[in-house]
Amino acid sequence: MKTIKNILLLAFIGITFVACSSDDDVPEQINEEETITTMTITLVPAGGGTSIILQSQDLDGDGPNTPNKTVSGNLTANTTYSGSVVFLNETESPAEDITEEVEEEDEEHQVLYVASGNITSVSYDDADGNGNPVGLEFTIVTGDAGNASLSATLRHEPKKPNDGTLEDAGGETDFTEIFSLTVE
């Protein structure tokens, strides 16, 4: 009887070791896409003056409601503006600052700007560890009075370097918005 118990005990231990074998394969870490509800662009005129705030807020995300877009004022003609952009997830309380993740993963992100009309140029003022643009800090220059538009698109895993166009950058769009502006 004692022999049978020992055999059963050894069989149980053997099965336990097989069932609990060590798996050296480390599972691939999944980088979950963040929810972005709000993009706020702040434009500060060189030499002082009133900052212009461009905001797109879509609190229902992919829901049926359209984003609420606001522009706090008109741009001044022939002026250079320092720009910055912030991305938030306001479905959480307090709101989660997604900009921090973009900064931490700067080689995997880029904000691409496309200007038309009386915005004469857009340039990047920040770079990732490889010297490629990120776009959280940028400069725009206005021309003469008239109409303009500025689109801002946050891309995840774009090709870097790229020529600054959405087509060349590729990647996946995390957030995008187009603002209609007046230059006076």
Side-chain angles (χ1 to χ4, degrees):
M1 189 68 151
K2 193 173 187 181
T3 306
I4 293 175
K5 284 184 182 178
N6 286 339
I7 291 173
L8 290 175
L9 180 63
L10 286 175
F12 177 75
I13 291 173
I15 291 171
T16 302
F17 280 124
V18 171
C20 297
S21 69
S22 173
D23 187 1
D24 292 336
D25 295 337
V26 177
E28 184 178 328
Q29 185 175 358
I30 297 173
N31 190 3
E32 235 177 80
E33 184 177 324
E34 297 291 343
T35 300
I36 300 174
T37 60
T38 306
M39 174 175 64
T40 303
I41 296 174
T42 303
L43 301 172
V44 180
T50 303
S51 295
I52 305 299
I53 308 296
L54 315 176
Q55 187 175 70
S56 175
Q57 186 177 46
D58 191 4
L59 296 179
D60 72 343
D62 291 334
N65 299 327
T66 58
N68 181 25
K69 292 193 298 188
T70 57
V71 176
S72 68
N74 295 331
L75 300 174
T76 303
N78 303 305
T79 302
T80 300
Y81 289 85
S82 294
S84 62
V85 62
V86 173
F87 297 98
L88 299 176
N89 175 2
E90 293 185 291
T91 63
E92 296 184 6
S93 182
E96 179 184 8
D97 187 352
I98 304 301
T99 314
E100 294 173 358
E101 180 179 325
V102 173
E103 289 172 334
E104 290 171 7
E105 300 175 1
D106 59 1
E107 292 175 8
E108 298 173 13
H109 291 91
Q110 183 174 354
V111 183
L112 294 119
Y113 297 96
V114 177
S116 66
N118 291 43
I119 295 177
T120 59
S121 70
V122 179
S123 58
Y124 291 94
D125 294 339
D126 58 357
D128 64 20
N130 295 321
N132 295 309
V134 177
L136 296 175
E137 304 290 331
F138 61 99
T139 299
I140 68 167
V141 178
T142 60
D144 295 333
N147 294 319
S149 70
L150 179 67
S151 73
T153 302
L154 174 61
R155 285 283 172 98
H156 181 73
E157 295 186 348
K159 176 182 92 174
K160 287 189 176 187
N162 59 62
D163 67 7
T165 64
L166 296 171
E167 295 78 25
D168 188 47
E172 195 173 304
T173 298
D174 287 340
F175 198 91
T176 189
E177 193 59 75
I178 301 171
F179 296 94
S180 296
L181 305 169
T182 301
V183 179
E184 58 180 21

